[in-house]
Amino acid sequence: MPGRSLVEKIWDQHVIARLSEDTDLLSIDRHLLHDLGGSRGLLDLKSRGLKVHNPELTFATPDHALSTAPGRAGTSKIGQELLAALRTETAASGITLFDVDQPGQGIVHVIGPELGLSLPGATIVCGDSHTCTHGGLGALAFGIGSSELTHVLATQALIQKRPKTLRARFEGKLPLGVTAKDMILALIGHIGAAGGTGYAVEYAGSAIRALPIEGRLTICNLSIELGAKIGMVAPDETTFEFLRGRPYAPQGEMWDLAVKAWRELPSDPDAVFDREVVIDVEKIIPQVTWGISPEHVVGVDGVIPDPKTVDDPARRAAIETALEYMGLQGGAPIAGTPVDWVFIGSCTNSRLSDLRAAAEVVRGRKVAAGVRAWVVPGSENVKREAVAEGLDKIFIDAGFEWREPGCSMCLAANGEVVAPGQRSVSTSNRNFVGRQGPRARTHLASPASAAASAIAGAIADVRMMGRQ
């Protein structure tokens, strides 16, 4: 019998009942709620006369619908109502809420790891597709729908189909200017936005092992953009050091027992995966998207695909549709494309290391005329740490706007949008049609590349900025 993979080990530990050959009832260790869907789930539960099964395992924070303007000015009526309902219903249910301006508030996928709520070997769910982010710590984490959310509130369990397994190995040493964001965009470009559909992805290899935890979280965040709702990295000494002393991580004797158990989680040497992909990171250069899917990506020194050179009719039509929406010309260099906006934020790239990387590029420079640039920290704690380091002053001096923590312009649920027809370089995770606002044009890139583009006023190669 072959060894077991990381996901198989965690899955097996959480099976309450085997329902069919490929479907199990799983116990859930952590349930994270946000303002967009949390209160609705709690109200749904209340309307049925049910109580939250494990309020001590459920945590909430507002992030999606809040304004990120200073003082939260401009939060919409809907946003205010969602926040009020989240406060009322979590208090009534005994659920811990990390509220506005409190340490712990922030994007739900930033605060989980930051507080030690997200732990290796845990099952974590949230009503948000980027819950896969928490897999960067070795958790089995995935997004759920509204009916599933209510089910978990009522039972702390969930019926799930066992996924196939895909191992993506990143081997080699990262070249100059290449980051975790570039690694995962390169993988999506290589196997496509549906390449991971039906799989739980384990990211492995020497380049993954060399990444700090925040880079691993970025990698796992975009698993859903591969079509995979689960992405994971095996826990190791880097993981343990990241979690040691976090408020909700085990302490004292329990810490020692937890680490001992976590050391048993990595995939066995003879584990068999349904699919394996190997990426040579030394061939990756900074990536930027050109179209309306994360798989529409090229190296920053590349050219935009020309549909005239594509034989496949379906693919040619898809490229033509993307180019029309993006207002781009096939065959043209992507670098030098003028931009109107730069957004540094989101659950993908709003952590302290992301802000440090961007600040290093903009320090002593100015945002190009005509470009509006925002920095939105991922959490209140990230904001405070960045301010303590003086990063806010670096950005403000360069001409950026320094905002309050939240999801903001990643999905524009709070009304913060890129104007129709304007072009944004964004550190977020989706460049779908209308994602940052009606007719907004989004190019995904790393924080350093986004910062370089803000300074240049156009999509820019950060390797030419002399500081990477």
Side-chain angles (χ1 to χ4, degrees), residues 47-320:
S47 71
R48 302 181 190 200
L50 300 173
K51 292 185 177 181
V52 177
H53 193 279
N54 286 97
E56 77 282 8
L57 301 180
T58 310
F59 300 86
T61 190
D63 56 4
H64 281 66
L66 280 178
S67 166
T68 63
R72 305 294 183 180
T75 297
S76 67
K77 182 173 181 292
I78 292 176
Q80 293 175 23
E81 291 172 350
L82 288 170
L83 176 58
L86 190 66
R87 286 170 171 165
T88 300
E89 298 307 322
T90 53
S93 300
I95 294 171
T96 298
L97 171 70
F98 302 104
D99 208 341
V100 178
D101 295 333
Q102 293 179 352
Q105 184 271 329
I107 304 173
V108 68
H109 307 313
V110 174
I111 71 162
E114 171 184 287
L115 297 174
L117 293 168
S118 310
L119 297 171
T123 50
I124 301 172
V125 297
C126 175
D128 186 283
S129 60
H130 291 100
T131 306
C132 46
T133 307
H134 307 260
L137 289 164
L140 198 167
F142 52 91
I144 55 177
S146 57
S147 59
E148 291 177 313
L149 186 153
T150 303
H151 191 279
V152 175
L153 286 173
T155 66
Q156 206 61 31
L158 196 61
I159 296 171
Q160 287 291 291
K161 183 178 180 181
R162 185 179 288 257
K164 296 182 291 184
T165 55
L166 186 159
R167 180 162 62 184
R169 288 172 39 214
F170 290 85
E171 301 290 358
K173 183 178 179 181
L174 284 180
L176 183 72
V178 176
T179 69
K181 182 67 165 290
D182 302 299
M183 292 166 64
I184 188 65
L185 283 175
L187 176 64
I188 296 170
H190 181 61
I191 69 173
T197 302
Y199 294 96
V201 182
E202 179 178 338
Y203 302 100
S206 58
I208 293 292
R209 298 259 69 84
L211 282 178
I213 291 300
E214 295 192 349
R216 298 180 189 183
L217 296 171
T218 296
I219 294 273
C220 290
N221 177 269
L222 271 81
S223 299
I224 191 67
E225 314 312 333
L226 276 170
K229 69 177 187 179
I230 298 170
M232 309 173 73
V233 175
D236 59 8
E237 296 305 318
T238 301
T239 315
F240 309 149
E241 284 308 305
F242 176 87
L243 289 170
R244 187 189 300 275
R246 302 264 170 189
Y248 286 85
Q251 309 290 329
E253 182 181 353
M254 291 304 295
W255 169 260
D256 296 332
L257 292 171
V259 171
K260 182 180 179 182
W262 296 341
R263 292 189 196 282
E264 301 298 319
L265 291 175
S267 296
D268 295 327
D270 57 345
V272 176
F273 293 82
D274 295 299
R275 184 181 180 188
E276 292 218 46
V277 180
V278 179
I279 300 290
D280 180 355
V281 302
E282 298 185 17
K283 294 180 180 177
I284 299 176
I285 65 170
Q287 304 282 295
V288 61
T289 61
W290 55 266
I292 53 175
S293 164
E295 72 178 13
H296 294 161
V297 64
V298 293
V300 70
D301 63 354
V303 297
I304 300 163
D306 186 346
K308 296 175 184 173
T309 65
V310 177
D311 293 331
D312 178 66
R315 184 163 174 265
R316 182 169 62 247
I319 293 174
E320 288 171 344

Side-chain angles (χ1 to χ4, degrees), residues 382-431:
V382 169
K383 185 188 80 172
R384 295 184 185 193
E385 291 174 16
V387 169
E389 292 187 14
L391 300 184
D392 60 326
K393 295 186 182 304
I394 293 174
F395 286 116
I396 292 169
D397 288 348
F400 280 78
E401 295 179 40
W402 179 255
R403 313 278 294 187
E404 297 293 331
C407 299
S408 185
M409 203 177 279
C410 170
L411 75 168
N414 65 348
E416 294 169 354
V417 299
V418 173
Q422 290 200 331
R423 190 177 304 283
S424 164
V425 174
S426 175
T427 65
S428 52
N429 41 49
R430 285 179 174 161
N431 54 343

